[in-house]
Amino acid sequence: MKQKALYIFLLFALLLSACGGGGQTAVVRIGWAGSPDTLNPGMAILTEAYTVFELVYDSMYDLNLDGSFTLSLAESVDVSDDGLVYTYKIRDGIKWHDGEDLTAEDIAYTYNLYKDTPEYPYLNGYYTPYFDSIVANGNEVVLTLTEAIPNIESQLVFLYVLPKHIWENEDKLEFENTAMIGSGPFKMAEYVQNEFVRLAANKEYFSTPPKVDEVVFQTFENQDALVQAIKTGQLDMVTEMPNTAAETLKAEDNVEVVVGAPLAPGVTDIIFNQVDPENCPTDAGGLCTGHPALRDRNVRLAMAHATDKQKLIDLILLGLGNSGLTLIPDGLGVWYNDSIQDYEFDVAKANQILDDAGYADSDGDGVRELPDGSRPLTFRLNWPSDSINAPRMGELLSEMWAEIGITLELQAVDPDALTAQCCPAFDFDIMIWGWASDPDPSALLYVYTTEAIPSGSSETGYSNPAYDELYAKQQTTLDFNARKDMVWEMQKIVHDDVVYIIPFYDANVQAYRTDRFTGWITDQAKVELSDVTSLLVIEPVK
Amino acid sequence: MNRTRAFLKKTAWALFTIIFVIILNFFLFRVLPGDPARAGIRDPRLKKEAIEMLRVRFGLDKPVINCFESLNPIQVGSCAVNPFDTQFFIYVRNLVQGELGISYHTNRPVTDILAERLWNTVLLIGAGQILSIIFGVALGVFAAWKARTSIDYLAVGSSLVAWSLPTFWLGIILLFWGSGHGFPLAGKATPGMSSMPLLQQWGDIARHMFLPTLTYTIVYMGEYTLIMRSSLMDVLSEDYILTAKAKGLNAFQILKDHALKNAMLPLVTVIAINLGFTVAGAIQIEAVFSWPGLGSAIYEAVVRRDFPVLQGAFLLIAVAVILANLIADLTYNFLDPRVQTE
């Protein structure tokens, strides 16, 4: 019996060595928990798709790990004095993966494609609202804007340039684009949806070509398997893992765990429904059933003082995260207002605030009532049922806020049903949810505006004319420092008004094997090992 | 004559059930809360126009059916709508033409997705079924023959344990065990294998299948063992078995010619039902081993409110289950002539 087992084992060992046999090619095996939804950049929504686009396509700018931008396809840019006309001089000799030349014509075609296709959920509405016209002129692309804006880089950085000679013959919505001809440092070699993406190095890449031969992204639906796979050397890098696995992996000999701000920093937020009945977007389906107490800043302030953020970080994230202030995360670098003094954790003070504001526990059941005694401070607390962290946070908040006479009714809700309850319906009291951020703060600052209430982007129903005015102004302020001051001021305003409680900013927790490749970039402000920045420079361990 | 009529009647019922499923399928998903045009997209800069465009593209701007704009929340609309211009009619028309539509989420034809996933699932669950039937039946027969001996108790005990093991738990345990023995932990093939010789590709798939198939076999084998054992023990207590023994037949002859044929009946039912569900995959096993089968496709489609994929997958499963039952019914006629009398 034992012999037989040994025999089977040997057979597998043989099979294994046969597989590894092709051996000289340096293949980076990356594990992730998802898979791209589609490779058509216009139709894609998931971040996995964007990770692939970053590697296979080029765009006008590259986003660096310190948050800055550098020109990529263009060697220089000339901006007109009024800030409306950008003239990009395109580099010579850039080739598509199929050998054709990449020209200014391709870039103009792509930008016009994004601009003229309103069905593209992100790239149309998201990045092109200020485009007036885009024309190719020899080796130059002339981009004319409708309004001078300060953040052209972040508008263009995700507009991947597509080959005109392929896309003009395809249906721009139905095109699956599995062959994915691009110009970037990696070429699409093989793609099986929900299984893997295999990319081959483009050794003719105009900038630095990759030092490895192939990069493979493999889908793991099970995170335990993902962790096990890097432990046993079946993977060279994992893009994500549960925080609970970080400690175990740190103890492994050949595995290095890295923690840092993600490329698209994430925010976890506690949302208060504070929509004013006058602003209720009834035309858009607004129900506005929020508890009236949440419209009172004193109540929200007391809850902020009664929230022990450090405890939440320690117990939920196992310490891997930073305490939060507003929707603008610290990962956004200069845009993050680090001068704001957060509300200190002080239960006595929180109780005092509620006492002073007239919220007393008149019937002695441990729960305070509205000043007129009509309703207890019992709030519904909901979160998306696919969230791993939210249930624990719900329980902890329930304990913390019980200290100040507030009770919660906890319930997980299907994410889609939660969207329906959330906005613009405002059919909830408190929710736990989150956002991922752009490199530019404008998108998340928009969430606080009055204009966002009927559109479904505002989760709180917060409305403050002074804030709205600043928002509009910063969008067209070209002077960097002046705009930065406004963005800081806006964060101050929403923090003072306790629009949200931001328990923490999530960290990216990734790991790589030290015995396979060296040169991973881990010393920057942000950590993203699956980004071009790392994949272009790593090389096999000799 | 009688047999043909019974056959026609059963087929008619099967067809009727499928039509019922087609109709139910459509309405089932449309009473789910949420908006497919917004599922998965939560972004402050997503314009209303873009959402509207998505709705138009997927035909979600049309009324669900006459008199109803949408079913959740119920929005009553005009009853004077052209019935041919409702989502329901378009769905039925496309179905008749063999069109399952385009997935909202992956932007691919549903038939492509289902074909890919179905093959993977049939491969995995098919292998698991065959192995568990073979081993389960063999063990069941053995246990029944050695009834009330320590071998029997061991077989029954271990079968009960295996059958009641949570599938995902057993999967995780085997996954941890396998990771130390060089078994791949995810997917059905090593990336890059497609350029290798066919034999090597099949070897690679077999390596990937090993752990999930083992999990499946262990869990389902218990069920087959228990059913086979109790059914065979019933038969073995019959008088005609005693007669056979008295005639001097050996154990093998008694089992093969006299007992097994009658004892197989309950097992055929269970196998047929299980085979029908083969198509649905085993969501837990597929999730643990990241096996790209139908089960995980369904799970994903539910999360994304991907109606076309859900409708397609549910239809496929329903047809498979109904067909399997029909075949089981008809096999009964053959196995046990008493069944056909009405």
Side-chain angles (χ1 to χ4, degrees):
Chain A
M1 199 60 207
K2 219 173 195 169
Q3 241 175 352
K4 211 176 214 169
L6 187 70
Y7 171 71
I8 293 175
F9 184 68
L10 277 177
L11 194 77
F12 277 113
L14 268 175
L15 269 171
L16 268 178
S17 60
C19 296
Q24 301 87 347
T25 49
V27 183
V28 189
R29 299 158 306 168
I30 301 173
W32 63 7
S35 180
D37 43 353
T38 167
L39 296 181
N40 180 333
M43 304 302 287
I45 288 167
L46 298 185
T47 46
E48 283 81 2
Y50 284 83
T51 301
V52 176
F53 298 151
E54 279 294 317
L55 298 170
V56 176
Y57 289 124
D58 281 311
S59 58
M60 202 61 96
Y61 292 94
D62 280 336
L63 172 59
N64 303 316
L65 287 178
D66 60 4
S68 65
F69 296 92
T70 42
L71 280 172
S72 171
L73 285 176
E75 56 185 43
S76 64
V77 57
D78 189 51
V79 190
S80 68
D81 291 338
D82 58 2
L84 289 177
V85 184
Y86 285 73
T87 309
Y88 292 94
K89 186 161 181 292
I90 306 307
R91 285 173 202 266
D92 282 334
I94 303 180
K95 300 251 185 229
W96 293 109
H97 296 153
D98 61 1
E100 302 273 330
D101 287 325
L102 186 153
T103 63
E105 194 69 37
D106 287 305
I107 301 176
Y109 168 80
T110 309
Y111 287 180
N112 279 309
L113 173 74
Y114 292 139
K115 175 170 164 276
D116 298 336
T117 315
E119 289 93 341
Y120 283 174
Y122 272 127
L123 297 185
N124 173 265
Y126 212 125
Y127 297 109
T128 61
Y130 303 101
F131 286 11
D132 185 35
S133 73
I134 310 105
V135 245
N137 181 7
N139 67 344
E140 288 179 345
V141 174
V142 183
L143 170 62
T144 311
L145 303 177
T146 52
E147 233 175 315
I149 51 169
N151 49 356
I152 189 78
E153 296 92 347
S154 72
Q155 300 282 326
L156 295 183
V157 71
F158 297 124
L159 293 187
Y160 305 104
V161 175
L162 307 171
K164 183 185 176 192
H165 64 277
I166 289 173
W167 279 74
E168 65 185 351
N169 303 320
E170 299 287 348
D171 180 318
K172 54 199 172 179
L173 300 184
E174 312 274 324
F175 188 33
E176 289 185 30
N177 194 28
T178 40
M180 240 189 140
I181 300 299
S183 59
F186 289 92
K187 305 184 226 191
M188 175 56 73
E190 194 184 2
Y191 172 55
V192 187
Q193 189 166 38
N194 282 84
E195 290 186 49
F196 60 83
V197 182
R198 189 160 67 89
L199 305 175
N202 174 12
K203 297 285 185 188
E204 278 89 52
Y205 187 54
F206 67 87
S207 165
T208 27
K211 293 171 178 157
V212 296
D213 299 306
E214 276 188 12
V215 171
V216 172
F217 288 91
Q218 193 167 10
T219 301
F220 281 72
E221 283 172 39
N222 170 3
Q223 295 216 335
D224 293 320
L226 193 66
V227 172
Q228 199 62 18
I230 188 160
K231 244 190 206 173
T232 54
Q234 292 194 22
L235 290 174
D236 306 322
M237 195 270 270
V238 291
T239 63
E240 57 200 302
M241 68 174 104
N243 285 356
T244 42
E247 283 305 311
T248 6
L249 278 186
K250 274 180 194 162
E252 291 288 313
D253 277 345
N254 294 316
V255 180
E256 186 71 33
V257 176
V258 288
V259 181
L263 206 54
V267 179
T268 297
D269 49 18
I270 300 169
I271 303 161
F272 296 118
N273 178 359
Q274 53 204 276
V275 67
D276 193 303
E278 279 178 24
N279 287 337
C280 187
T282 35
D283 292 342
L287 301 171
C288 305
T289 63
H291 196 293
L294 291 171
R295 295 203 289 273
D296 182 352
R297 174 180 178 268
N298 288 317
V299 175
R300 303 195 301 266
L301 181 67
M303 290 161 96
H305 276 297
T307 308
D308 185 351
K309 292 184 183 175
Q310 196 52 49
K311 188 173 177 188
L312 294 177
I313 294 170
D314 289 343
L315 292 184
I316 297 169
L317 300 180
L318 303 175
L320 303 175
N322 297 334
S323 175
L325 291 171
T326 69
L327 285 186
I328 304 302
D330 53 355
L332 281 192
V334 287
W335 300 116
Y336 172 66
N337 184 349
D338 58 5
S339 71
I340 294 175
Q341 183 66 41
D342 202 6
Y343 305 110
E344 72 278 13
F345 172 56
D346 185 342
V347 178
K349 189 169 180 182
N351 274 314
Q352 192 59 50
I353 292 169
L354 288 176
D355 287 344
D356 294 348
Y359 295 89
D361 176 17
S362 47
D363 55 7
D365 62 352
V367 184
R368 293 173 189 267
E369 285 89 33
L370 288 179
D372 62 6
S374 60
R375 243 177 110 171
L377 296 191
T378 302
F379 304 129
R380 297 166 285 174
L381 174 68
N382 303 117
W383 61 82
S385 52
D386 58 354
S387 165
I388 299 169
N389 293 333
R392 226 172 308 164
M393 197 192 303
E395 277 169 37
L396 289 168
L397 289 177
S398 193
E399 282 169 24
M400 289 172 186
W401 293 343
E403 299 286 318
I404 56 168
I406 289 175
T407 46
L408 297 176
E409 291 168 353
L410 309 181
Q411 198 186 5
V413 177
D414 172 90
D416 208 30
L418 197 61
T419 310
Q421 277 180 21
C422 163
C423 7
F426 294 101
D427 186 13
F428 68 98
D429 294 330
I430 307 174
M431 281 189 191
I432 302 170
W433 218 336
W435 290 106
S437 163
D438 253 9
D440 189 83
S442 211
L444 281 184
L445 290 174
Y446 173 71
V447 173
Y448 289 103
T449 59
T450 310
E451 189 193 329
I453 295 177
S455 81
S457 292
S458 169
E459 316 163 288
T460 55
Y462 174 70
S463 172
N464 180 342
Y467 180 92
D468 294 346
E469 199 178 310
L470 271 173
Y471 176 78
K473 220 164 135 197
Q474 66 82 26
Q475 269 191 306
T476 50
T477 301
L478 298 184
D479 180 72
F480 178 84
N481 284 318
R483 179 170 180 237
K484 194 199 96 178
D485 290 345
M486 286 180 210
V487 170
W488 277 41
E489 175 63 23
M490 292 163 79
Q491 292 172 60
K492 181 91 176 58
I493 293 175
V494 293
H495 187 262
D496 284 347
D497 286 346
V498 207
V499 184
Y500 290 86
I501 293 176
I502 309 292
F504 44 69
Y505 303 129
D506 306 346
N508 220 11
V509 184
Q510 305 188 319
Y512 65 92
R513 280 194 77 89
T514 50
D515 55 351
R516 289 270 302 159
F517 296 91
T518 58
W520 301 97
I521 309 261
T522 56
D523 57 352
Q524 295 284 313
K526 298 184 187 186
V527 164
E528 185 47 77
L529 301 182
S530 66
D531 186 54
V532 267
T533 43
S534 273
L535 293 180
L536 285 188
V537 297
I538 54 167
E539 49 191 334
V541 171
K542 304 231 159 55
Chain B
M1 192 60 209
N2 211 0
R3 198 174 255 213
T4 334
R5 212 210 266 153
F7 173 77
L8 284 179
K9 198 172 163 192
K10 273 176 183 153
T11 317
W13 266 108
L15 273 177
F16 176 77
T17 318
I18 289 175
I19 290 172
F20 179 74
V21 167
I22 287 176
I23 296 171
L24 185 76
N25 244 351
F26 177 84
F27 292 103
L28 190 64
F29 300 123
R30 274 161 185 78
V31 295
L32 279 179
D35 178 354
R38 286 195 59 178
I41 313 180
R42 226 171 79 83
D43 197 282
R45 280 203 269 182
L46 185 65
K47 285 194 298 192
K48 269 196 128 128
E49 293 81 3
I51 297 179
E52 217 34 63
M53 286 286 183
L54 285 174
R55 285 212 181 93
V56 173
R57 172 149 190 260
F58 295 129
L60 294 165
D61 57 327
K62 296 193 161 62
V64 171
I65 193 167
N66 275 32
C67 309
F68 289 101
E69 285 294 329
S70 77
L71 293 177
N72 190 337
I74 286 194
Q75 282 171 21
V76 180
S78 159
C79 293
V81 178
N82 176 4
F84 298 113
D85 199 34
T86 57
Q87 289 183 41
F88 180 65
F89 177 78
I90 294 170
Y91 159 75
V92 173
R93 187 188 61 199
N94 288 347
L95 214 55
V96 171
Q97 293 169 349
E99 269 283 329
L100 291 177
I102 300 234
S103 153
Y104 298 162
H105 174 55
T106 63
N107 207 28
R108 298 173 61 200
V110 172
T111 28
D112 286 9
I113 299 176
L114 292 185
E116 229 172 76
R117 299 301 191 97
L118 178 65
W119 163 237
N120 292 341
T121 290
V122 168
L123 190 69
L124 173 68
I125 311 296
Q129 278 283 354
I130 290 171
L131 288 175
S132 52
I133 289 171
I134 292 175
F135 289 116
V137 169
L139 191 63
V141 170
F142 192 60
W145 190 251
K146 299 273 179 198
R148 293 183 192 87
T149 65
S150 52
I151 294 175
D152 177 36
Y153 294 138
L154 190 69
V156 172
S158 54
S159 297
L160 277 173
V161 169
W163 194 18
S164 45
L165 278 182
T167 316
F168 65 90
W169 181 82
L170 179 66
I172 292 271
I173 297 293
L174 287 175
L175 184 135
F176 273 73
W177 170 82
S179 69
H181 293 81
F183 285 105
L185 303 183
K188 78 165 212 292
T190 307
M193 280 307 279
S194 56
S195 55
M196 298 285 178
L198 207 58
L199 198 68
Q200 223 167 330
Q201 282 189 41
W202 278 96
D204 181 56
I205 293 180
R207 268 179 357 106
H208 281 81
M209 274 175 68
F210 183 81
L211 291 176
T213 313
L214 185 64
T215 313
Y216 191 94
T217 307
I218 291 176
V219 171
Y220 280 83
M221 199 177 117
E223 183 184 3
Y224 291 130
T225 304
L226 293 173
I227 292 169
M228 191 67 223
R229 176 185 169 274
S230 63
S231 156
L232 189 59
M233 276 175 67
D234 268 359
V235 175
L236 286 177
S237 63
E238 298 272 345
D239 289 342
Y240 71 92
I241 299 289
L242 192 67
T243 317
K245 273 185 189 162
K247 282 197 293 192
L249 296 180
N250 66 25
F252 181 72
Q253 279 171 320
I254 294 175
L255 277 179
K256 177 172 153 286
D257 296 333
H258 298 268
L260 267 186
K261 200 172 169 189
N262 287 333
M264 282 306 272
L265 271 181
L267 199 69
V268 169
T269 320
V270 178
I271 290 176
I273 291 171
N274 281 349
L275 278 184
F277 282 108
T278 297
V279 171
I283 294 185
Q284 293 179 357
I285 293 181
E286 288 181 6
V288 169
F289 295 100
S290 312
W291 187 266
L294 261 187
S296 64
I298 291 171
Y299 173 73
E300 229 166 81
V302 171
V303 173
R304 302 273 169 205
R305 296 291 183 274
D306 202 340
F307 293 165
V309 173
L310 284 176
Q311 284 162 358
F314 275 54
L315 185 64
L316 192 69
I317 294 168
V319 170
V321 171
I322 292 166
L323 272 184
N325 277 296
L326 185 65
I327 291 170
D329 265 1
L330 300 176
T331 322
Y332 272 2
N333 283 347
F334 173 76
L335 286 177
D336 184 352
R338 284 171 303 181
V339 174
Q340 61 167 289
T341 53
E342 287 176 44

